[in-house]
Amino acid sequence: MDRVLVTGSSRGIGKAIALRLAADGFAVVAHAVKNEDAAAETAAECARISGQPEQKPLIFDVSDRAAAVSAIEADMAANGPFFGVVANAGVTADAPFPILEGDAWDRVIDTDLGGFYNVLKPVVMPMVSNRIRGRIVAISSVSGVVGNRGQVNYSAAKAGLVGAAKALAVELARHRITVNAVAPGVIETEMADSIEFKDEVKKAIPMRRFGRPEEVAAVVAFLFRDEAAYVTRQVISVNGGLC
């Protein structure tokens, strides 16, 4: 039974990824910061789809290192190491840089980038020591590839994820563990619902529409397949041609 942890999987892109990996037969461990009911719903749906035993969802803040390590190590002690991780959990706190408050900078960096370290640090060595030829995928963003006005903090964190994923890919390549980043553009989620002037934004996208969470999930699912065993240290954009 190959277990996969998908952080931030109670809704949106994370939930779509969890369900798609479940459809491919993985035993998905869902995660949420606070919404235990939503995470449990994702976990139950994943078990129904995959036919694998239902995995207890993990509830912790990825920016809290001690909480992340404690929850993940307890889960692995009870259920064994993970085959893979999708580092998806993230937050935004947008503002033009001149009025960007320090706490908004820290919260986004600590969650979106710091969470990568906090979640993967306890996971990687058990993968290596158990000779698991696993998969790690970091969910970055178009903002991390080209930058975006009003998102200096978010762009910095998501760009940092790209660098971290590429460096980790080099370290883990000899262990046959792949590490890649997926960079979505504007996707139909709660985050997109807050966008003003949606029609103007769509005009900037060559495909003239927002993406669907399932389209991001399909790319992640490909990276988890045996056929993608030679794909590592890459950034795959899912953005309708935005960049």
Side-chain angles (χ1 to χ4, degrees), residues 10 25 38 61 76 102 114 119 136 148 152 155 160-161 170 188 192 198 201 213:
S10 63
D61 185 342
M76 291 191 300
V119 169
I136 295 171
N148 192 34
V152 175
S155 295
L161 274 180
V170 176
E188 293 175 348
K198 288 186 175 65
V201 173

Side-chain angles (χ1 to χ4, degrees), residues 45 47 58 62 112 115 125 140 143 196 219-220 224 227 231-232:
E45 194 168 353
L58 302 184
V62 298
D112 296 38
M125 275 309 299
S140 180
S143 295
E196 296 184 28
V219 174
V220 175
F224 270 74
E227 293 90 337
V231 180
T232 197

Side-chain angles (χ1 to χ4, degrees):
M1 179 177 66
D2 290 333
R3 299 194 319 127
V4 176
L5 171 62
V6 182
T7 65
S9 49
S10 63
R11 59 182 182 175
I13 292 173
K15 183 171 184 177
I17 291 170
L19 297 180
R20 178 58 188 264
L21 291 176
D24 287 347
F26 292 100
V28 175
V29 178
H31 161 267
V33 179
K34 295 179 180 177
N35 196 337
E36 191 167 356
D37 289 342
E41 182 180 320
T42 297
E45 194 168 353
C46 284
R48 179 183 60 78
I49 292 171
S50 68
Q52 300 284 357
E54 184 172 337
Q55 305 293 302
K56 181 180 179 180
L58 302 184
I59 309 298
F60 62 87
D61 185 342
V62 298
S63 70
D64 184 333
R65 185 167 302 158
V69 171
S70 176
I72 291 170
E73 288 186 343
D75 176 87
M76 291 191 300
N79 302 296
F82 290 100
F83 170 80
V85 177
V86 181
N88 168 75
V91 297
T92 58
D94 298 350
F97 189 74
I99 61 171
L100 181 65
E101 298 292 340
D103 63 343
W105 173 271
D106 292 342
R107 181 154 47 91
V108 171
I109 297 295
D110 291 349
T111 301
D112 296 38
L113 182 55
F116 179 89
Y117 176 87
N118 297 340
V119 169
L120 290 176
K121 184 61 165 62
V123 168
V124 167
M125 275 309 299
M127 292 174 70
V128 171
S129 60
N130 284 277
R131 299 183 179 180
I132 295 172
R133 297 185 175 185
R135 303 287 188 266
I136 295 171
V137 177
I139 304 301
S140 180
S141 168
V142 63
S143 295
V145 176
V146 299
N148 192 34
R149 177 183 297 176
Q151 289 191 317
V152 175
N153 52 355
Y154 187 70
S155 295
K158 292 299 189 178
L161 274 180
V162 169
K166 287 189 172 187
L168 186 58
V170 176
E171 293 188 14
L172 295 181
R174 68 188 181 93
H175 299 290
R176 303 298 187 266
I177 299 170
T178 68
V179 187
N180 294 284
V182 172
V186 185
I187 307 298
E188 293 175 348
T189 62
E190 290 182 13
M191 189 181 299
D193 290 341
S194 65
I195 294 176
E196 296 184 28
F197 311 113
K198 288 186 175 65
D199 290 341
E200 295 302 314
V201 173
K202 287 178 182 178
K203 287 179 182 178
I205 301 171
M207 293 195 74
R208 298 295 192 271
R209 69 173 178 87
F210 294 167
R212 299 188 299 274
E214 292 76 17
E215 292 172 315
V216 179
V219 174
V220 175
F222 163 73
L223 293 171
F224 270 74
R225 292 178 185 168
D226 291 341
E227 293 90 337
Y230 200 57
V231 180
T232 197
R233 207 185 185 189
Q234 302 305 304
V235 183
I236 303 177
S237 294
V238 186
N239 60 30
L242 186 58
C243 68

